[in-house]
Structure formats: structure tokens, C-alpha cells
């Protein structure tokens, strides 16, 4: 059972780079909602919110779960090493790509053809 944070741990981190902030940032970089992240890990969306806001401390299983779900090392998640930002599409593109993937094959081809035409016209 997750434990509510009762005391602040001593840290040389500034609040802008807390573990919760890193979780939130990485989640958004991966194009995930809190609900989607919660489903991957197997916890509730409320717990994801509580971890992101620093209301709960991460235990070893949660560190492992978040690291796997967010595709980073535990050191990156905990701030012991810099996050190796992988060049990824912005969130708005990721969401659209997921929507396109759900379409029937004929519609996907039509969208890709339209994109190709627009790219060629603007090159």
C-alpha cells in the first residue's frame, strides 16, 4: 500500500525537478495520459496524480513500474542521471498518429497521400 509523504526528504534538488515533475514530463513526452500510464503500471489514475504531485513517495516496485512504463532507467527517473531525451514527436503529433493508426487501411493511405502532396508542394 502506498505511503503518504509525512516529511520532506532532504534533497539538493530544486522543486522544478522533483521526481513527480520528472514523471509528469516523461509521461507527456511519451504522449500518455495519467489514465493510460496508470493502466500500463496497473494502478489507479489517482495514484499517478498523487505521485506526480509528490503526495506519495515511490517505493521500489513503483520506481520499477514507472521506469518500465516511461522507458527510462531508474536513475533517470530518480534524478541520479540526466534524462536521455530521445528525439520524439511532439505530443500533438503523437495523438494524431494514434488516431490515424486506428483508421481503416484505405483512409490511412488517403491521409498519407495527402501529407506527401502537401510536403512536396511546400518543399
Amino acid at each position: 500500500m502506498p505511503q503518504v509523504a509525512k516529511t520532506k526528504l532532504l534533497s539538493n534538488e530544486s522543486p522544478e525537478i522533483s521526481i513527480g515533475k520528472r514523471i509528469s514530463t516523461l509521461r507527456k513526452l511519451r504522449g500518455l495520459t495519467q489514465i493510460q500510464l496508470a493502466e500500463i503500471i496497473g494502478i489507479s489514475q489517482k495514484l499517478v496524480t498523487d505521485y506526480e504531485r509528490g503526495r506519495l513517495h515511490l517505493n521500489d516496485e513503483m520506481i520499477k513500474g514507472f521506469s518500465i512504463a516511461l522507458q527510462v532507467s531508474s536513475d533517470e527517473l530518480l534524478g541520479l542521471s540526466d534524462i536521455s531525451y530521445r528525439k520524439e514527436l511532439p505530443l500533438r503529433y503523437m495523438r494524431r498518429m494514434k488516431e490515424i493508426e486506428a483508421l481503416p487501411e484505405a483512409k490511412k493511405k488517403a491521409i498519407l497521400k495527402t501529407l506527401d502532396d502537401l510536403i512536396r508542394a511546400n518543399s
Side-chain angles (χ1 to χ4, degrees), residues 12-43:
N12 58 0
E13 303 183 344
S14 63
E16 295 82 33
I17 55 170
S18 67
I19 293 171
K21 178 70 173 169
R22 276 192 294 281
I23 291 171
S24 175
T25 300
L26 287 163
R27 173 180 58 77
K28 292 172 185 174
L29 280 172
R30 301 295 182 254
L32 297 171
T33 65
Q34 286 184 339
I35 293 170
Q36 291 168 324
L37 179 58
E39 288 173 0
I40 293 169
I41 298 172
I43 61 176

Side-chain angles (χ1 to χ4, degrees), residues 38 56 67-68 92:
L56 296 175
S67 295
I68 291 169
R92 62 185 180 184

Side-chain angles (χ1 to χ4, degrees), residues 24-100:
S24 175
T25 300
L26 287 163
R27 173 180 58 77
K28 292 172 185 174
L29 280 172
R30 301 295 182 254
L32 297 171
T33 65
Q34 286 184 339
I35 293 170
Q36 291 168 324
L37 179 58
E39 288 173 0
I40 293 169
I41 298 172
I43 61 176
S44 71
Q45 181 265 328
K46 183 183 179 330
L47 284 176
V48 172
T49 299
D50 288 345
Y51 284 120
E52 286 186 1
R53 291 189 176 173
R55 292 183 189 146
L56 296 175
H57 291 296
L58 292 170
N59 63 30
D60 56 346
E61 287 300 313
M62 286 294 97
I63 293 170
K64 181 179 171 183
F66 279 108
S67 295
I68 291 169
L70 297 170
Q71 303 168 3
V72 294
S73 71
S74 56
D75 284 353
E76 290 172 308
L77 185 69
L78 295 171
L80 300 174
S81 66
D82 291 337
I83 295 171
S84 57
Y85 290 99
R86 295 161 187 94
K87 186 70 174 165
E88 296 193 19
L89 292 173
L91 180 59
R92 62 185 180 184
Y93 298 141
M94 295 289 288
R95 285 189 180 144
R96 286 183 178 97
M97 293 301 294
K98 287 178 183 178
E99 290 172 8
I100 291 169

